[in-house]
Structures are given as structure tokens and as C-alpha cells.
Amino acid sequence: MTDLTLAMEAVKAGMAGFVTKCHQGDTSARAAVVEEAMELLYPGKNFRVWGGVVLNHGVGGLNPSAVYASGKMGGRFVWFPYR
């Protein structure tokens, strides 16, 4: 299921938004694209999608540059796996 399909299903279920997460890369840009598409599909609904970064091996572990870049792209969370 794509983020956009998930967003459309979430609207049908009465949800106002969701967080998208990926262990291989940042999801900030994906979240922004889905929010923009949802505004076109459901004008005025104000459906929200939040993205961010997981600090695992895919982004170099505890990587301040990845956190900074995610924030500049609109990232709203930083997750650090315990293990």
C-alpha cells in the first residue's frame, strides 16, 4: 500500500492524519507530497501527514546531519532504535 492509498483509506475511516516511517530513509518529502495530493483530492479537509527520520544504519546511525536535513525538509520526528 502506498502512502497516498493509506491516506485515502484513513480519510474514509475518519482519521485526520498519520505518521509515515521508513527504516531505509527519511519520509519528510513523502509526507509533504501526500499532504499536497490530499488537499487536491479533499479540499479543505486539512489531512495531515508527518514524516521524519530513523537513525539506524541506513542513515549512518546517530547522524546529526541526517536530523538537520530531515528538519529542513519538514521532518517532525527523529526515532532512534534501541538495539
Side-chain angles (χ1 to χ4, degrees):
M1 177 178 285
T2 67
D3 291 336
L4 183 56
T5 304
L6 179 61
M8 291 187 293
E9 291 297 319
V11 166
K12 288 180 192 174
M15 295 172 62
F18 66 89
V19 171
T20 181
K21 177 181 164 191
C22 175
H23 288 272
Q24 286 76 39
D26 191 282
T27 58
S28 304
R30 286 172 34 186
V33 168
V34 172
E35 268 194 2
E36 190 174 316
M38 292 301 285
E39 183 57 34
L40 294 172
L41 294 170
Y42 303 94
K45 191 77 168 172
N46 199 29
F47 190 83
R48 299 299 313 268
V49 183
W50 296 275
V53 65
V54 177
L55 298 179
N56 58 11
H57 296 292
V59 298
L62 189 57
N63 181 349
S65 296
V67 174
Y68 179 78
S70 181
K72 292 295 274 186
M73 291 188 294
R76 294 292 178 242
F77 71 84
V78 177
W79 187 74
F80 189 74
Y82 177 77
R83 194 173 191 298

Coordinates of all heavy atoms in Angstrom, one line a residue:
M1 N 0.8 -1.2 0.0 CA 0.0 0.0 0.0 C 0.9 1.2 0.0 O 1.8 1.3 0.8 CB -0.9 0.0 1.2 CG -1.8 1.2 1.4 SD -2.9 1.1 2.8 CE -4.1 0.0 2.3
T2 N 0.6 2.2 -0.9 CA 1.4 3.4 -0.9 C 0.9 4.4 0.2 O -0.2 4.2 0.7 CB 1.2 4.1 -2.3 OG1 -0.1 4.6 -2.4 CG2 1.6 3.2 -3.4
D3 N 1.7 5.4 0.4 CA 1.3 6.4 1.4 C 0.0 7.1 1.0 O -0.9 7.4 1.8 CB 2.4 7.5 1.6 CG 3.6 6.9 2.3 OD1 3.5 5.9 3.0 OD2 4.7 7.5 2.1
L4 N -0.2 7.4 -0.3 CA -1.4 8.0 -0.8 C -2.6 7.2 -0.6 O -3.7 7.6 -0.2 CB -1.2 8.5 -2.3 CG -2.4 9.2 -2.9 CD1 -2.7 10.5 -2.0 CD2 -2.1 9.6 -4.3
T5 N -2.5 5.9 -0.9 CA -3.6 4.9 -0.7 C -3.9 4.9 0.7 O -5.1 4.9 1.1 CB -3.2 3.5 -1.3 OG1 -2.9 3.7 -2.6 CG2 -4.4 2.6 -1.1
L6 N -2.9 4.8 1.6 CA -3.2 4.8 3.0 C -3.9 6.0 3.5 O -4.8 6.0 4.3 CB -1.9 4.6 3.8 CG -1.9 4.6 5.3 CD1 -2.8 3.4 5.8 CD2 -0.5 4.5 5.9
A7 N -3.5 7.2 3.0 CA -4.1 8.4 3.3 C -5.6 8.5 2.9 O -6.5 8.9 3.7 CB -3.4 9.6 2.7
M8 N -5.9 8.0 1.7 CA -7.3 7.9 1.3 C -8.1 7.0 2.1 O -9.3 7.3 2.5 CB -7.4 7.5 -0.2 CG -6.8 8.7 -1.1 SD -7.1 8.4 -2.9 CE -6.0 7.0 -3.2
E9 N -7.5 5.9 2.5 CA -8.2 4.9 3.4 C -8.4 5.5 4.8 O -9.5 5.3 5.5 CB -7.5 3.6 3.5 CG -7.5 2.8 2.3 CD -8.9 2.3 1.9 OE1 -9.7 1.9 2.8 OE2 -9.2 2.4 0.7
A10 N -7.4 6.3 5.3 CA -7.5 7.0 6.6 C -8.7 8.0 6.6 O -9.4 8.1 7.6 CB -6.2 7.6 6.9
V11 N -8.8 8.7 5.5 CA -10.0 9.7 5.4 C -11.3 9.0 5.5 O -12.2 9.4 6.2 CB -9.9 10.5 4.1 CG1 -11.2 11.3 3.8 CG2 -8.7 11.5 4.2
K12 N -11.4 7.8 4.8 CA -12.6 7.1 4.8 C -12.9 6.6 6.2 O -14.1 6.4 6.6 CB -12.5 5.8 3.9 CG -12.6 6.2 2.4 CD -12.4 4.9 1.6 CE -12.2 5.2 0.1 NZ -11.9 4.0 -0.6
A13 N -11.9 6.3 7.0 CA -12.0 5.8 8.4 C -12.3 6.9 9.4 O -12.4 6.7 10.5 CB -10.8 5.0 8.8
G14 N -12.2 8.2 8.9 CA -12.5 9.3 9.7 C -11.3 9.9 10.4 O -11.4 10.7 11.4
M15 N -10.1 9.4 10.0 CA -8.9 9.9 10.6 C -8.5 11.3 10.1 O -8.9 11.6 9.0 CB -7.7 8.9 10.4 CG -7.9 7.6 11.0 SD -6.7 6.3 10.5 CE -5.2 7.0 11.1
A16 N -7.7 12.0 10.9 CA -7.3 13.4 10.5 C -5.8 13.4 10.0 O -5.4 14.4 9.5 CB -7.4 14.3 11.7
G17 N -5.1 12.2 10.1 CA -3.8 12.2 9.6 C -3.0 11.0 10.1 O -3.6 10.1 10.8
F18 N -1.7 10.8 9.8 CA -0.9 9.7 10.3 C 0.5 10.1 10.1 O 0.9 11.1 9.5 CB -1.3 8.4 9.5 CG -0.9 8.4 8.1 CD1 0.3 8.0 7.6 CD2 -1.9 8.8 7.1 CE1 0.7 8.0 6.3 CE2 -1.6 8.7 5.8 CZ -0.3 8.4 5.4
V19 N 1.4 9.3 10.7 CA 2.8 9.4 10.7 C 3.3 8.3 9.7 O 2.9 7.1 9.8 CB 3.5 9.2 12.0 CG1 5.0 9.1 11.9 CG2 3.1 10.3 13.0
T20 N 4.2 8.7 8.8 CA 4.8 7.7 7.9 C 6.3 7.5 8.3 O 7.0 8.5 8.6 CB 4.7 8.1 6.4 OG1 5.2 7.0 5.6 CG2 5.3 9.4 6.1
K21 N 6.7 6.2 8.4 CA 8.0 5.9 8.9 C 8.7 4.9 8.0 O 8.0 4.0 7.4 CB 7.9 5.4 10.3 CG 9.2 4.9 10.9 CD 8.9 4.4 12.3 CE 10.0 3.6 12.8 NZ 9.7 2.8 14.0
C22 N 10.0 5.0 7.7 CA 10.7 4.0 6.9 C 12.1 3.8 7.5 O 12.7 4.8 8.0 CB 10.9 4.6 5.5 SG 11.9 3.6 4.4
H23 N 12.5 2.6 7.6 CA 13.8 2.3 8.2 C 15.0 2.5 7.2 O 16.1 2.3 7.6 CB 13.8 0.8 8.7 CG 13.0 0.7 10.0 ND1 13.5 0.9 11.2 CD2 11.7 0.4 10.1 CE1 12.5 0.8 12.1 NE2 11.4 0.4 11.5
Q24 N 14.7 2.7 6.0 CA 15.8 2.9 5.0 C 16.1 4.4 4.6 O 17.0 4.6 3.9 CB 15.5 2.1 3.7 CG 15.7 0.6 3.9 CD 14.6 0.0 4.7 OE1 13.5 0.3 4.5 NE2 14.9 -1.0 5.5
G25 N 15.2 5.3 5.0 CA 15.4 6.7 4.6 C 14.4 7.6 5.2 O 13.5 7.2 5.9
D26 N 14.6 8.9 5.0 CA 13.7 9.9 5.5 C 12.4 9.9 4.8 O 12.3 9.6 3.6 CB 14.4 11.3 5.3 CG 13.8 12.4 6.0 OD1 12.7 12.9 5.5 OD2 14.3 12.8 7.0
T27 N 11.3 10.2 5.6 CA 10.0 10.2 5.0 C 9.4 11.6 4.9 O 8.2 11.8 4.6 CB 9.0 9.3 5.8 OG1 9.0 9.8 7.1 CG2 9.5 7.9 5.7
S28 N 10.2 12.7 5.2 CA 9.6 14.0 5.2 C 9.1 14.5 3.8 O 8.0 15.0 3.7 CB 10.7 15.0 5.6 OG 11.2 14.6 6.9
A29 N 9.8 14.2 2.8 CA 9.4 14.6 1.4 C 8.1 13.8 1.0 O 7.2 14.4 0.4 CB 10.5 14.4 0.4
R30 N 8.1 12.5 1.3 CA 6.9 11.7 1.0 C 5.7 12.3 1.7 O 4.6 12.3 1.1 CB 7.1 10.2 1.5 CG 8.1 9.5 0.6 CD 8.4 8.1 1.1 NE 7.4 7.4 1.9 CZ 7.6 6.2 2.5 NH1 8.8 5.7 2.5 NH2 6.7 5.6 3.2
A31 N 5.8 12.6 3.0 CA 4.7 13.2 3.8 C 4.2 14.5 3.1 O 3.0 14.7 3.0 CB 5.1 13.4 5.2
A32 N 5.1 15.3 2.7 CA 4.7 16.6 2.0 C 4.0 16.4 0.7 O 3.0 17.0 0.5 CB 6.0 17.5 1.8
V33 N 4.4 15.4 -0.1 CA 3.8 15.1 -1.3 C 2.3 14.5 -1.1 O 1.4 14.9 -1.7 CB 4.6 14.1 -2.2 CG1 3.8 13.6 -3.3 CG2 5.9 14.8 -2.6
V34 N 2.2 13.7 -0.1 CA 0.9 13.1 0.2 C 0.0 14.2 0.7 O -1.2 14.2 0.3 CB 1.0 11.9 1.2 CG1 -0.4 11.5 1.6 CG2 1.8 10.8 0.5
E35 N 0.4 15.1 1.6 CA -0.4 16.1 2.1 C -0.9 17.0 0.9 O -2.1 17.4 0.9 CB 0.3 17.0 3.1 CG 0.1 16.6 4.5 CD 0.6 17.6 5.5 OE1 1.0 18.8 5.1 OE2 0.5 17.3 6.7
E36 N 0.0 17.3 0.0 CA -0.4 18.1 -1.1 C -1.4 17.4 -2.0 O -2.4 18.1 -2.4 CB 0.9 18.5 -2.0 CG 0.7 19.5 -3.0 CD 1.9 19.9 -3.7 OE1 3.0 20.1 -3.0 OE2 1.9 20.0 -4.9
A37 N -1.2 16.2 -2.2 CA -2.2 15.4 -3.0 C -3.5 15.3 -2.3 O -4.6 15.4 -3.0 CB -1.7 14.0 -3.3
M38 N -3.5 15.2 -1.0 CA -4.8 15.1 -0.3 C -5.5 16.4 -0.3 O -6.8 16.4 -0.3 CB -4.5 14.6 1.2 CG -4.0 13.2 1.3 SD -5.1 12.0 0.6 CE -6.3 12.0 1.9
E39 N -4.8 17.5 -0.3 CA -5.5 18.8 -0.4 C -6.2 18.9 -1.8 O -7.3 19.5 -1.9 CB -4.5 19.9 -0.2 CG -5.2 21.3 -0.3 CD -6.3 21.5 0.8 OE1 -6.2 21.0 1.9 OE2 -7.2 22.3 0.4
L40 N -5.6 18.3 -2.8 CA -6.2 18.4 -4.2 C -7.4 17.4 -4.2 O -8.5 17.7 -4.8 CB -5.2 18.0 -5.2 CG -4.1 19.0 -5.5 CD1 -3.0 18.4 -6.4 CD2 -4.6 20.3 -6.0
L41 N -7.3 16.3 -3.6 CA -8.4 15.3 -3.6 C -9.5 15.6 -2.6 O -10.7 15.3 -2.9 CB -7.8 13.9 -3.2 CG -6.8 13.3 -4.2 CD1 -6.2 12.0 -3.6 CD2 -7.6 12.9 -5.5
Y42 N -9.2 16.2 -1.5 CA -10.2 16.5 -0.5 C -10.0 18.0 0.0 O -9.5 18.2 1.1 CB -10.0 15.6 0.8 CG -10.1 14.1 0.4 CD1 -9.0 13.3 0.1 CD2 -11.4 13.5 0.4 CE1 -9.1 12.0 -0.2 CE2 -11.5 12.1 0.1 CZ -10.4 11.4 -0.2 OH -10.5 10.1 -0.5
P43 N -10.3 18.9 -0.8 CA -10.1 20.3 -0.5 C -10.7 20.7 0.8 O -11.9 20.3 1.1 CB -10.8 21.1 -1.6 CG -10.9 20.1 -2.7 CD -11.0 18.8 -2.1
G44 N -10.0 21.4 1.7 CA -10.5 21.9 2.9 C -10.5 20.9 4.1 O -10.8 21.2 5.2
K45 N -10.1 19.6 3.8 CA -10.2 18.6 4.8 C -9.0 18.7 5.8 O -9.1 18.2 6.9 CB -10.1 17.2 4.1 CG -10.3 16.0 4.9 CD -11.8 15.9 5.2 CE -12.1 14.5 5.8 NZ -13.5 14.4 6.2
N46 N -7.9 19.4 5.4 CA -6.8 19.6 6.2 C -6.2 18.3 6.8 O -5.9 18.2 8.0 CB -7.1 20.6 7.4 CG -5.8 21.2 8.0 OD1 -4.8 21.3 7.3 ND2 -5.9 21.5 9.2
F47 N -6.1 17.3 5.9 CA -5.5 16.0 6.3 C -4.0 16.2 6.5 O -3.3 16.8 5.6 CB -5.8 14.9 5.2 CG -5.4 13.6 5.7 CD1 -6.3 12.8 6.4 CD2 -4.2 13.0 5.3 CE1 -6.0 11.5 6.8 CE2 -3.9 11.7 5.7 CZ -4.8 11.0 6.5
R48 N -3.4 15.7 7.6 CA -2.0 15.8 7.9 C -1.3 14.5 7.8 O -1.8 13.5 8.2 CB -1.9 16.4 9.3 CG -2.5 17.7 9.6 CD -2.0 18.9 8.8 NE -0.5 18.9 8.7 CZ 0.3 19.6 9.5 NH1 -0.2 20.3 10.5 NH2 1.6 19.5 9.4
V49 N 0.0 14.6 7.3 CA 0.9 13.5 7.2 C 2.2 14.0 7.7 O 2.7 15.0 7.2 CB 1.0 12.9 5.8 CG1 1.9 11.7 5.8 CG2 -0.3 12.6 5.2
W50 N 2.8 13.3 8.7 CA 4.1 13.7 9.3 C 5.1 12.7 8.9 O 4.9 11.5 8.9 CB 4.0 13.8 10.8 CG 3.0 14.8 11.3 CD1 3.3 16.2 11.5 CD2 1.7 14.7 11.6 NE1 2.2 16.8 11.9 CE2 1.2 16.0 12.0 CE3 0.8 13.6 11.6 CZ2 -0.1 16.2 12.4 CZ3 -0.5 13.8 12.0 CH2 -1.0 15.1 12.4
G51 N 6.3 13.2 8.6 CA 7.4 12.3 8.3 C 8.6 12.7 9.1 O 8.6 13.7 9.8
G52 N 9.6 11.9 9.0 CA 10.8 12.1 9.8 C 11.9 11.1 9.4 O 11.9 10.6 8.3
V53 N 12.8 10.9 10.4 CA 14.0 10.1 10.1 C 14.2 9.1 11.2 O 14.0 9.3 12.4 CB 15.2 10.9 9.8 CG1 15.6 11.7 11.1 CG2 16.4 10.1 9.3
V54 N 14.6 7.9 10.8 CA 15.0 6.8 11.7 C 16.6 6.8 11.7 O 17.1 6.6 10.7 CB 14.4 5.4 11.3 CG1 14.9 4.4 12.3 CG2 12.9 5.5 11.3
L55 N 17.2 6.9 12.9 CA 18.6 7.0 12.9 C 19.2 5.6 13.1 O 19.8 5.2 14.1 CB 19.1 7.9 14.1 CG 18.7 9.3 14.0 CD1 19.2 10.1 15.2 CD2 19.2 9.9 12.7
N56 N 19.1 4.8 12.0 CA 19.7 3.4 12.0 C 20.8 3.4 11.0 O 21.3 4.4 10.5 CB 18.6 2.4 11.8 CG 17.9 2.5 10.5 OD1 18.3 3.3 9.7 ND2 16.8 1.8 10.4
H57 N 21.2 2.2 10.6 CA 22.4 2.1 9.7 C 22.1 2.8 8.3 O 23.1 3.3 7.7 CB 22.7 0.6 9.5 CG 23.2 -0.1 10.7 ND1 24.4 0.2 11.3 CD2 22.6 -1.0 11.5 CE1 24.6 -0.5 12.4 NE2 23.5 -1.3 12.5
G58 N 20.9 2.8 7.9 CA 20.6 3.4 6.6 C 20.9 4.9 6.4 O 21.2 5.3 5.4
V59 N 20.9 5.6 7.6 CA 21.3 7.0 7.5 C 22.6 7.3 8.3 O 22.9 8.4 8.6 CB 20.2 7.9 8.0 CG1 18.9 7.8 7.2 CG2 19.8 7.6 9.5
G60 N 23.3 6.2 8.7 CA 24.6 6.4 9.4 C 24.5 6.4 10.9 O 25.4 6.9 11.5
G61 N 23.4 5.8 11.4 CA 23.3 5.8 12.9 C 23.0 7.1 13.5 O 22.2 7.9 13.0
L62 N 23.6 7.4 14.6 CA 23.4 8.7 15.3 C 24.1 9.8 14.4 O 25.3 10.1 14.6 CB 24.0 8.6 16.7 CG 23.7 9.8 17.6 CD1 22.2 10.0 17.8 CD2 24.4 9.5 19.0
N63 N 23.3 10.4 13.5 CA 23.9 11.2 12.5 C 23.2 12.6 12.6 O 22.1 12.8 12.1 CB 23.6 10.6 11.1 CG 24.1 11.4 10.0 OD1 24.5 12.5 10.1 ND2 24.1 10.8 8.8
P64 N 23.8 13.6 13.2 CA 23.2 14.9 13.3 C 22.9 15.6 11.9 O 21.9 16.3 11.8 CB 24.3 15.8 14.0 CG 25.2 14.8 14.6 CD 25.2 13.5 13.8
S65 N 23.7 15.2 10.9 CA 23.4 15.8 9.5 C 22.1 15.2 9.0 O 21.4 16.0 8.3 CB 24.5 15.4 8.6 OG 25.7 16.0 9.0
A66 N 21.8 14.0 9.3 CA 20.5 13.4 8.8 C 19.3 14.1 9.5 O 18.3 14.4 8.9 CB 20.5 11.9 9.1
V67 N 19.5 14.4 10.8 CA 18.5 15.0 11.6 C 18.3 16.4 11.1 O 17.1 16.9 10.8 CB 18.8 15.1 13.1 CG1 17.8 15.9 13.9 CG2 18.9 13.7 13.7
Y68 N 19.3 17.2 10.8 CA 19.3 18.5 10.3 C 18.6 18.5 8.9 O 17.7 19.3 8.7 CB 20.7 19.1 10.2 CG 20.7 20.5 9.6 CD1 20.3 21.6 10.4 CD2 21.0 20.7 8.3 CE1 20.3 22.9 9.9 CE2 21.0 22.0 7.8 CZ 20.7 23.1 8.6 OH 20.7 24.4 8.0
A69 N 19.0 17.6 8.0 CA 18.4 17.6 6.7 C 16.9 17.2 6.8 O 16.1 17.8 6.1 CB 19.1 16.5 5.8
S70 N 16.5 16.3 7.6 CA 15.1 16.0 7.8 C 14.3 17.2 8.3 O 13.2 17.4 7.7 CB 15.0 14.8 8.8 OG 13.6 14.5 8.9
G71 N 14.9 17.9 9.2 CA 14.2 19.1 9.7 C 14.0 20.1 8.6 O 12.9 20.8 8.5
K72 N 15.0 20.3 7.8 CA 14.9 21.3 6.7 C 13.9 20.9 5.7 O 13.3 21.7 5.0 CB 16.3 21.4 6.0 CG 17.4 22.1 6.9 CD 17.1 23.5 7.2 CE 17.5 24.4 6.1 NZ 17.4 25.8 6.4
M73 N 13.6 19.6 5.6 CA 12.6 19.1 4.6 C 11.2 19.0 5.3 O 10.3 18.5 4.6 CB 13.0 17.7 4.1 CG 14.2 17.7 3.2 SD 14.5 16.2 2.4 CE 15.0 15.1 3.7
G74 N 11.1 19.4 6.5 CA 9.8 19.4 7.2 C 9.6 18.2 8.1 O 8.5 18.0 8.6
G75 N 10.6 17.5 8.4 CA 10.5 16.3 9.3 C 10.0 16.7 10.6 O 10.4 17.8 11.2
R76 N 9.2 15.9 11.2 CA 8.6 16.2 12.5 C 9.0 15.2 13.6 O 8.5 15.3 14.7 CB 7.1 16.2 12.4 CG 6.6 17.4 11.5 CD 6.9 18.7 12.3 NE 6.5 19.8 11.5 CZ 7.4 20.7 11.1 NH1 8.7 20.7 11.3 NH2 7.0 21.8 10.4
F77 N 9.7 14.1 13.3 CA 10.1 13.2 14.3 C 11.5 12.6 14.0 O 12.0 12.6 12.9 CB 9.2 12.0 14.5 CG 9.1 11.0 13.4 CD1 10.0 10.0 13.3 CD2 8.2 11.1 12.4 CE1 10.0 9.1 12.3 CE2 8.1 10.2 11.4 CZ 9.1 9.2 11.3
V78 N 12.2 12.2 15.0 CA 13.5 11.5 14.9 C 13.4 10.3 15.8 O 13.0 10.4 17.0 CB 14.7 12.4 15.4 CG1 16.0 11.6 15.4 CG2 14.8 13.7 14.6
W79 N 13.6 9.2 15.3 CA 13.4 7.9 16.0 C 14.8 7.2 16.0 O 15.5 7.1 15.0 CB 12.4 7.1 15.3 CG 12.0 5.8 16.1 CD1 11.3 5.8 17.3 CD2 12.4 4.5 15.8 NE1 11.1 4.5 17.7 CE2 11.8 3.7 16.8 CE3 13.1 3.9 14.8 CZ2 11.9 2.3 16.8 CZ3 13.2 2.5 14.8 CH2 12.6 1.8 15.8
F80 N 15.2 6.8 17.2 CA 16.4 6.1 17.4 C 16.2 4.7 17.9 O 15.7 4.5 19.0 CB 17.4 6.8 18.3 CG 18.8 6.3 18.3 CD1 19.6 6.4 17.2 CD2 19.2 5.5 19.4 CE1 20.9 5.9 17.2 CE2 20.5 5.0 19.4 CZ 21.3 5.2 18.3
P81 N 16.4 3.6 17.1 CA 16.1 2.3 17.5 C 17.0 1.9 18.7 O 18.2 2.3 18.7 CB 16.3 1.4 16.3 CG 17.2 2.2 15.4 CD 16.9 3.7 15.7
Y82 N 16.4 1.2 19.6 CA 17.2 0.7 20.8 C 17.7 -0.7 20.5 O 17.0 -1.6 20.6 CB 16.2 0.7 22.0 CG 16.9 0.2 23.2 CD1 17.8 1.0 24.0 CD2 16.7 -1.1 23.7 CE1 18.4 0.5 25.1 CE2 17.3 -1.6 24.8 CZ 18.1 -0.8 25.5 OH 18.8 -1.3 26.6
R83 N 18.8 -0.8 19.9 CA 19.5 -2.1 19.6 C 20.0 -2.1 18.3 O 19.6 -1.8 17.3 CB 18.6 -3.3 19.9 CG 19.4 -4.5 19.9 CD 18.5 -5.7 20.2 NE 19.2 -6.9 20.5 CZ 20.0 -7.6 19.7 NH1 20.2 -7.2 18.5 NH2 20.5 -8.7 20.1

